[in-house]
Amino acid sequence: MSAIIIDGKITAAKIQEKVRKRTAALKEKGIVPCLAVILAGEDPASVSYVTSKKKALEEIGMEDREIRLPGSVSEAELLGLIASLNADPKVHGILVQHPFPRHMDEERIFSAVNPDKDVDGFSLASAGNLALGRPGFIPGTPFGIVHLLRDYQIPIAGRHVVILGRSNIVGKPMANLLVRRELNATVTVCHTGTPDPAVFTRQADIIIAAAGKPGLVTADMVKPGAAVIDVGMNRVPDASKKKGYRLCGDTDYEGLLEIAGWITKVPGGVGPMTVAMLTQNVADAAEDIHTLP
Ligand code: GUN
């Protein structure tokens, strides 16, 4: 048996096509969906994320308002900028690229974004809505993973999903999304305090690896036929590459091909979905609706 390769670019393109049509309809009514993207500092991975978001917005016909700030910007200045974008009726969504400069309080920055414009879904209000099963913006990576599973007809309801990693931007919202009634999965979250994650992953119908550890999930940790979703985007030093590194996920991709039922590509799996769901959230913000999971 060989795993079905999940290609996020194909699923993302289908979503972006729908968003493109919604954008065209909004523009006919004189509304140009606009996302403000704030990037503070020069983190290379962040610069690359912001570039791919910009490209997607342009392709769809949305307005992209990119604001680059030096890493030395003060928290007060950043909060002031967010407040002015909150008040700007032409801006429908606001995204502050993570990670922030170290001197900033993450929660304060994310929660300064008006929940009606919080297309990243990282404010306290959005996180609370997600956890309580109320309408609100759902973070792009977890929402994108659900779309990928559905597009590949991988059953979720009643299945056991094991998530590796408890970050606020992937692991936790992923767990909160999957336990909602609309999805009805049984969820286990493993993290750095879990002595032996393999005990759990071997029971999983779906493994979602979001720990930021290259090659963490190996073949002996996977039940035959399970779906493996790799969220890892690790830069591993590699002198043979022009850039000096290669991108590596949180799984031993080659080693899993013979055991997993499905496996995502890295890159080209979850990454394009995050961007596609972000554009869907911007369309939702411009239409003042929330797409349910
Ligand atoms: N850094 C990594 N992924 C994300 C994301 O989805 N949104 C933001 N704002 N920062 C990120």
Side-chain angles (χ1 to χ4, degrees):
M1 196 182 72
S2 190
I4 294 169
I5 311 298
I6 298 180
D7 187 333
K9 282 194 191 148
I10 295 174
T11 307
K14 292 187 218 170
I15 289 164
Q16 284 180 345
E17 187 47 40
K18 286 187 197 155
V19 176
R20 190 174 299 122
K21 287 189 181 134
R22 288 171 67 190
T23 302
L26 280 162
K27 283 174 147 176
E28 271 178 24
K29 288 193 245 165
I31 301 165
V32 183
C34 169
L35 174 69
V37 177
I38 305 171
L39 174 60
E42 306 268 328
D43 175 63
S46 291
V47 171
S48 131
Y49 283 137
V50 167
T51 308
S52 57
K53 286 166 191 167
K54 187 187 177 83
K55 199 166 145 243
L57 292 167
E58 270 169 16
E59 277 169 15
I60 286 168
M62 289 178 167
E63 191 185 330
D64 159 53
R65 207 185 285 184
E66 189 180 313
I67 302 145
R68 290 208 183 198
L69 302 167
S72 58
V73 64
S74 72
E75 188 177 296
E77 211 174 318
L78 180 55
L79 290 172
L81 173 63
I82 294 170
S84 71
L85 294 168
N86 280 340
D88 185 339
K90 289 211 154 69
V91 172
H92 302 97
I94 302 169
L95 179 149
V96 193
Q97 184 61 38
H98 186 268
F100 312 137
R102 280 176 182 275
H103 57 277
M104 295 195 186
D105 181 298
E106 253 179 52
E107 198 176 292
R108 208 157 33 226
I109 303 293
F110 280 141
S111 294
V113 176
N114 180 331
D116 293 336
K117 299 190 178 189
D118 180 24
V119 289
D120 242 346
F122 295 152
S123 66
L124 285 174
S126 299
N129 286 331
L130 175 61
L132 297 183
R134 291 158 47 141
F137 288 112
I138 299 171
T141 302
F143 208 3
I145 289 171
V146 165
H147 274 268
L148 267 188
L149 294 169
R150 284 183 172 149
D151 202 31
Y152 280 81
Q153 294 172 357
I154 299 168
I156 303 171
R159 303 303 161 111
H160 184 198
V161 184
V162 174
I163 301 167
L164 298 167
R166 59 175 153 190
S167 71
N168 290 346
I169 65 176
V170 185
K172 282 195 203 116
M174 187 80 252
N176 280 333
L177 182 56
L178 287 166
V179 294
R180 277 174 60 146
R181 283 190 187 277
E182 298 96 328
L183 294 155
N184 253 350
T186 301
V187 179
T188 300
V189 182
C190 298
H191 43 75
T192 46
T194 309
D196 188 3
V199 169
F200 301 98
T201 57
R202 279 190 208 112
Q203 300 173 40
D205 301 301
I206 301 169
I207 298 172
I208 299 175
K213 288 198 184 136
L216 172 69
V217 180
T218 46
D220 58 309
M221 295 169 71
V222 178
K223 179 169 82 175
V228 180
I229 308 295
D230 192 343
V231 188
M233 268 290 179
N234 307 296
R235 292 185 174 203
V236 176
D238 185 340
S240 73
K241 300 279 175 196
K242 231 190 285 170
K243 289 181 175 167
Y245 67 85
R246 68 192 148 83
L247 280 178
C248 175
D250 282 2
T251 66
D252 169 23
Y253 180 84
E254 300 293 334
L256 297 193
L257 285 174
E258 287 305 311
I259 184 137
W262 296 266
I263 187 164
T264 53
K265 289 170 112 175
V266 175
V270 175
M273 292 303 297
T274 303
V275 178
M277 300 320 290
L278 171 71
T279 64
Q280 178 175 293
N281 280 350
V282 176
D284 280 11
E287 288 176 19
D288 200 15
I289 62 160
H290 288 298
T291 302
L292 285 171

